[in-house]
Amino acid sequence: LEPLYETCISRMEDFHRQNTNLFKDELAEISQKYRSNIQYFIYKSIILRNLYGVDIMAEAVEIAKLRLFLKMVAVVDADRRAPNLGLDPLPDIDFNIRCGNMLVGYATEDEIVQGSSADIFTQQEFREKVEIEMEKVARAYDTFRHIQLSQHEDIGTFKQAKEELKQRLSAFTDLLNHQMFSHTGGSDYNAWLDSHQPFHWIAEYYQIIHGNGGFDVVIGNPPYVEISKNKIDYKLSEVYRFKDLYAYVLVRALSLAKNKKMLGFIIPVSFNSTPNFKKLFELYQNDATLYMSSYADTAKMFMITKRLSIVLRMSGEERIYSTKYIRLNSTMEHRLAEGAYCQVDSTISLSSMFPKVSSPHEVSIISKVKNSANMVIGALEANTGEQLNYTRSIRNFRPFYLFKPTHKTKEGAKKIPTELKSLCVDKDYLSAVTAVLNSNLTFELLNWFTDVRNVNPGFIRSIPLNKNILKETRIEAIIQDLMRDYQRNMEERYNKTTQCFESYYYPVKSKLIIDSIDKVLAQHYGFTEEELDFIINYDIKYRMGDELNDE
C-alpha cells in the first residue's frame, strides 16, 4: 500500500500547484499536523485506515502490533531537543488488531438473525435491536479513529472516546455471546467463553462488514491442524466436513471478503491435490480466477518445512493458473524463477484434481495420456491376483516391487515393514502394471496430481492406461531386470528404534532401466522425442542428486 499512497500524494501535490483549491485539506493534514515526515504519515494512515487482523493467540496479536509500531518509528530521526523526541504519538490499534477465534462468532447481520431461532416477527424486532447497537459501536469507533487521525492533542478526549468505544463494544458482544451460547446446550457460560473465544466480525468491524460490504482483500496463513488428532470439540459447520482446520478458515474468509473478490492464502498443497478438499476447491473455483503456486520445501521462505501452496483468488471469469511443483533446494531466487503460471482446465484434470504444471510439455503429455487411454489401472485389480508392494511415502522415486521387502530382527527373523502397502493385480497383466507404476511418467503424475507426500491407493487405481501396453512383449524382460537390480542394490541398515536391520532400496541406481520403460510407453501414448526427453529428465537434479554428479 505504501507506493500507492506515495503516488496519490504526489499527484495531489501536482494538481494543487495548478489549482490551490484542490486537495487543500488533505495536504494540510500532512504538512501542519505531522511533525515527523511524510513516510510516517503514510504508515500511520495505512495502519489505521487499511489494516485489520485477528489471531487466536494473544502473543501473536501483541507481536503484530509491535512490528507495526517499529515499522513507523524506524523511518523517523529522533530529535532529542524536541518534545517527545520529535515523534508523533503512536496510533492506538487495539481495535484494528484483535484477539479472538475467527471461526466462532457471527460474521454478518443475517447470521445473527438466523441464529436467534425466533419467528419472523421476533426476528425483525431482534434485527432492529441489533442494528441500533451496531450503529452505536460504529459511531463510537469513527469518533475514536477521527481523534487519532486528526492528531488531537487533548489526551482526556482520546481516553474518553476509547472508553466509550470499549463499553459499547463490550455490551454488544456480550449480547451476541449469550445468544450464541444459548444454542450450545451448555450450562457454564464462562467456561464456554474461555474455551471458544468467540469473535463477532459484524460487531468488531461493523463499518467494514456492513458499510463496505466486507474487506476488499483478505489474506492469511491459517493453522495446519488435523481436527481429529487435536480433539477440537466445537462444531465447525453443518454443511462441510473437512479434516483440517485451514479449510474452515478459507470458508469463513469468503463470507468476509467484499463480493468474495480478492483472497490470498498460504496453505497446504492438499488444497489442490487431494479428494478430501474437493468441495473446498470447487467453492473457491466457482465464479473466480485462481492462481496456485506450489512448493516442495518452504523452509527457505517461511522457516518451516512444509509442502505449501500460495493460492490467490479473484472473482470473475472461471480460470485456473498453476505452477509446477517447485523445489527450493538450491538458491531460492533461481528456483522461484521456475514458477511460471500455466493455464489448466478440466481437459487435463485427473480424479477431479488439476495438475501442478507450468509448461506446454506437461500439458501435452497429460492430454496424450488421457486421450490415448481406454481404461484405468483399477480395472485390473483382482482379489486373488498377484501382489505389487510399495510404501506410501513419495520421495525422488516411487518404486513398486514384485517381491515383498522385509526387515530382519537381531535373531534373524523376518519382519514386514509396517508402512508396506499392496495392490493385487491379475497375474496376466502384472508385468505391464508394474512397468507403468515404476515409470518416470507415473512419478510425474504423482507430482502433478497429488500432495507429493503419500501414495493414495485411489489415485493409483485412477491412473489412465492404454490397453495396448498390456500386450507389450518387451516389458516382461525389463521388469525382471528392474526387480533384480532393486534387490542387487539393496543395503541393510540397523535401526536402533525398531531394533531391526532394515532393507533400503536405491531406485536411483536403476534409473537407466526405468528410462527404458518410458521409451516403450512413449510409443503407445504418442509422445514426441522432445516430450520423452522431458519425462526422462523431469527434475533430474533433484531426483538423481549425487548420482548425477558421479556420472
Side-chain angles (χ1 to χ4, degrees):
L1 290 171
E2 181 187 358
L4 299 180
Y5 267 82
E6 288 177 344
T7 302
C8 286
I9 291 172
S10 176
R11 295 294 289 141
M12 285 181 189
E13 290 172 340
D14 290 342
F15 284 122
H16 183 71
R17 279 191 287 269
Q18 298 173 31
N19 183 343
T20 55
N21 291 320
L22 293 175
F23 303 109
K24 181 170 60 176
D25 295 336
E26 289 82 354
L27 294 174
E29 180 184 354
I30 301 169
S31 61
Q32 297 174 13
K33 297 179 180 178
Y34 280 83
R35 293 172 294 188
S36 302
N37 58 33
I38 187 66
Q39 201 170 10
Y40 184 94
F41 164 76
I42 289 173
Y43 284 159
K44 184 171 182 177
S45 296
I46 291 171
I47 291 169
L48 283 175
R49 290 182 165 111
N50 304 115
L51 296 186
Y52 302 84
V54 179
D55 198 289
I56 199 168
M57 290 180 63
E59 298 90 339
V61 170
E62 294 306 314
I63 290 171
K65 291 179 185 176
L66 180 60
R67 287 177 67 92
L68 292 173
F69 291 150
L70 290 174
K71 186 75 173 177
M72 295 176 62
V73 173
V75 301
V76 180
D77 294 324
D79 182 355
R80 297 188 179 279
R81 295 188 180 88
N84 196 37
L85 300 179
L87 299 176
D88 291 300
L90 288 170
D92 188 317
I93 54 176
D94 287 349
F95 298 98
N96 289 60
I97 313 299
R98 308 305 306 272
C99 185
N101 188 335
M102 71 165 291
L103 293 178
V104 178
Y106 298 116
T108 64
E109 295 166 82
D110 288 338
E111 285 185 14
I112 297 175
V113 176
Q114 291 166 7
S116 65
S117 300
D119 59 63
I120 189 169
F121 299 106
T122 309
Q123 278 191 1
Q124 182 59 33
E125 183 180 340
F126 185 71
R127 180 188 288 273
E128 291 172 359
K129 179 181 178 181
V130 165
E131 286 178 351
I132 291 171
E133 293 299 319
M134 286 191 292
E135 287 291 349
K136 290 179 181 177
V137 171
R139 285 197 298 271
Y141 183 82
D142 287 341
T143 300
F144 176 69
R145 189 172 67 167
H146 174 73
I147 289 173
Q148 292 203 79
L149 290 170
S150 62
Q151 296 291 85
H152 205 290
E153 298 292 339
D154 186 353
I155 191 67
T157 303
F158 172 79
K159 287 184 176 179
Q160 181 181 348
K162 182 173 183 178
E163 187 59 32
E164 181 181 355
L165 176 56
K166 285 176 66 176
Q167 290 177 2
R168 296 281 191 194
L169 190 56
S170 178
F172 186 36
T173 55
D174 187 63
L175 171 68
L176 298 181
N177 286 341
H178 275 89
Q179 173 173 295
M180 179 165 277
F181 176 71
S182 68
H183 298 295
T184 65
S187 57
D188 191 336
Y189 172 76
N190 291 326
W192 174 81
L193 206 60
D194 290 339
S195 64
H196 287 64
Q197 295 178 251
F199 185 87
H200 305 290
W201 295 84
I202 186 62
E204 306 284 354
Y205 299 135
Y206 175 73
Q207 74 282 7
I208 297 172
I209 302 297
H210 176 81
N212 193 54
F215 292 91
D216 295 297
V217 180
V218 178
I219 61 174
N221 178 24
Y224 317 142
V225 177
E226 288 188 42
I227 293 172
S228 60
K229 292 182 180 179
N230 289 272
K231 299 180 180 177
I232 295 173
D233 61 349
Y234 50 86
K235 206 168 190 178
L236 290 172
S237 173
E238 297 287 347
V239 180
Y240 303 104
R241 292 290 182 269
F242 298 121
K243 293 183 177 181
D244 201 297
L245 203 59
Y246 84 80
Y248 292 98
V249 173
L250 264 64
V251 174
R252 169 52 63 95
L254 278 177
S255 66
L256 302 173
K258 184 177 181 180
N259 299 322
K260 300 180 179 180
K261 192 170 185 180
M262 299 189 73
L263 302 99
F265 291 96
I266 304 169
I267 52 178
V269 76
S270 57
F271 167 79
N272 53 303
S273 304
T274 59
N276 292 335
F277 295 92
K278 181 183 176 182
K279 285 186 178 180
L280 180 66
F281 185 88
E282 290 174 346
L283 188 65
Y284 263 66
Q285 177 195 0
N286 187 38
D287 295 327
T289 297
L290 288 184
Y291 290 86
M292 303 180 298
S293 54
S294 303
Y295 303 89
D297 177 6
T298 55
K300 290 184 174 65
M301 287 198 292
F302 307 123
M303 294 170 61
I304 180 172
T305 303
K306 288 282 186 181
R307 300 168 180 85
L308 299 179
S309 290
I310 298 177
V311 177
L312 308 176
R313 181 190 193 276
M314 284 163 275
S315 63
E317 188 174 355
E318 286 193 12
R319 290 182 179 177
I320 299 174
Y321 295 90
S322 175
T323 68
K324 67 174 289 185
Y325 187 56
I326 302 168
R327 303 185 187 279
L328 298 174
N329 54 355
S330 60
T331 60
M332 190 171 76
E333 293 81 6
H334 170 70
R335 301 299 289 182
L336 284 174
E338 296 181 6
Y341 283 102
C342 175
Q343 186 172 354
V344 296
D345 56 38
S346 58
T347 62
I348 55 169
S349 65
L350 202 61
S351 297
S352 301
M353 297 294 109
F354 290 84
K356 299 182 285 294
V357 296
S358 59
S359 75
H361 286 312
E362 292 163 301
V363 172
S364 177
I365 289 166
I366 295 169
S367 295
K368 288 181 178 180
V369 168
K370 287 190 67 175
N371 293 336
S372 63
N374 38 33
M375 65 183 306
V376 294
I377 284 180
L380 302 175
E381 274 192 292
N383 293 330
T384 57
E386 301 292 326
Q387 279 193 344
L388 262 174
N389 301 291
Y390 65 98
T391 55
R392 291 183 62 193
S393 178
I394 302 174
R395 295 185 181 88
N396 52 350
F397 281 85
R398 174 63 277 134
F400 285 75
Y401 311 103
L402 284 175
F403 53 88
K404 184 169 286 187
T406 56
H407 300 330
K408 291 180 183 177
T409 63
K410 287 182 178 179
E411 295 75 25
K414 290 184 177 182
K415 185 178 179 181
I416 303 298
T418 55
E419 71 276 12
L420 196 67
K421 305 294 178 184
S422 62
L423 177 74
C424 290
V425 179
D426 189 301
K427 63 179 182 179
D428 293 336
Y429 311 122
L430 186 62
S431 293
V433 172
T434 306
V436 171
L437 293 179
N438 277 285
S439 67
N440 293 296
L441 176 62
T442 290
F443 174 78
E444 283 145 45
L445 290 174
L446 289 168
N447 275 260
W448 293 334
F449 290 101
T450 75
D451 63 2
V452 203
R453 180 184 178 189
N454 293 317
V455 177
N456 185 316
F459 180 79
I460 292 297
R461 295 186 183 99
S462 71
I463 291 177
L465 191 66
N466 185 307
K467 283 184 178 180
N468 292 330
I469 297 171
L470 303 178
K471 306 172 186 176
E472 180 58 63
T473 57
R474 292 170 288 179
I475 281 179
E476 176 71 30
I478 296 174
I479 286 303
Q480 293 303 321
D481 191 17
L482 181 62
M483 294 301 114
R484 284 193 294 267
D485 211 50
Y486 280 167
Q487 291 178 309
R488 183 165 49 247
N489 294 319
M490 185 271 287
E491 293 180 7
E492 286 187 347
R493 296 184 198 169
Y494 184 70
N495 187 319
K496 291 182 180 179
T497 304
T498 60
Q499 295 186 338
C500 284
F501 292 94
E502 298 187 347
S503 302
Y504 283 81
Y505 294 87
Y506 297 90
V508 64
K509 296 182 178 181
S510 307
K511 180 68 163 61
L512 291 177
I513 302 175
I514 293 172
D515 291 348
S516 67
I517 295 174
D518 288 276
K519 291 174 183 177
V520 174
L521 298 182
Q523 298 174 23
H524 295 282
Y525 287 121
F527 299 144
T528 64
E529 286 293 327
E530 197 173 4
E531 289 166 347
L532 175 60
D533 183 68
F534 181 90
I535 291 169
I536 289 175
N537 293 293
Y538 178 85
D539 264 348
I540 191 71
K541 291 181 180 179
Y542 161 74
R543 298 184 71 196
M544 298 299 290
D546 291 337
E547 290 289 325
L548 188 66
N549 296 330
D550 292 341
E551 293 279 335

